[in-house]
Amino acid sequence: QVQLVESGGGLVQAGGSLRLSCAVSGSIFSINTMGWYRQAPGKEREWVAGITIGGRGNYADSVKGRFTISRDNAKNTVYLDMNRLKPEDTAAYYCTARSTVFGFVWGQGTQVTVSS
């Protein structure tokens, strides 16, 4: 199996920063891509960022230039660095892995709340 555990969410003022972490365990050999999604209350889940096999980050237009996805292979951890946060960024953030064996795997989520 693949297990994902997010951490780092919290309450932050607009303009502030947070780093989200996603600890990966299990059959990590089966993972071919990872990313982050978010879901605001009453709204549809949306894709935020992804990281390719080569380590290149891809971003939704709404976060491009403000968010950075990265990974530390030695720590089996993926990060989402969020800068210049806006109230519109308020959401539950989910780490996602795509496994060739298990398909899409979701973490439990971590809440990010950005105050005005």
Side-chain angles (χ1 to χ4, degrees), residues 10 12-18 20 37-41 43 46 48 60-64 66-67 80-93 110-115:
V12 64
Q13 286 188 316
S17 301
L18 283 174
L20 305 184
Y37 285 75
R38 68 186 182 186
Q39 188 166 26
K43 295 189 176 181
E46 65 173 333
V48 175
D61 288 341
S62 59
V63 306
K64 189 174 295 184
R66 299 188 298 118
F67 290 13
L80 184 68
D81 289 298
M82 306 183 294
N83 301 300
R84 303 192 304 279
L85 283 160
K86 305 175 181 179
E88 307 94 273
D89 296 318
T90 295
Y93 283 74
T110 186
Q111 179 67 38
V112 173
T113 302
V114 184
S115 63

Side-chain angles (χ1 to χ4, degrees), residues 36-37 40 49 56 58 67 78 81 94-95 97 105 112:
W36 292 88
Y37 285 75
R56 177 176 293 180
N58 300 110
F67 290 13
V78 175
D81 289 298
Y94 297 89
C95 180
V105 179
V112 173

Side-chain angles (χ1 to χ4, degrees), residues 21-97:
S21 299
C22 176
V24 186
S25 62
S27 300
I28 58 175
F29 67 89
S30 71
I31 298 172
N32 56 26
T33 189
M34 295 193 66
W36 292 88
Y37 285 75
R38 68 186 182 186
Q39 188 166 26
K43 295 189 176 181
E44 186 178 351
R45 180 187 63 190
E46 65 173 333
W47 174 79
V48 175
I51 188 164
T52 67
I53 295 174
R56 177 176 293 180
N58 300 110
Y59 305 92
D61 288 341
S62 59
V63 306
K64 189 174 295 184
R66 299 188 298 118
F67 290 13
T68 302
I69 187 170
S70 62
R71 68 187 180 208
D72 186 333
N73 290 334
K75 295 181 178 179
N76 292 328
T77 301
V78 175
Y79 303 98
L80 184 68
D81 289 298
M82 306 183 294
N83 301 300
R84 303 192 304 279
L85 283 160
K86 305 175 181 179
E88 307 94 273
D89 296 318
T90 295
Y93 283 74
Y94 297 89
C95 180
T96 302

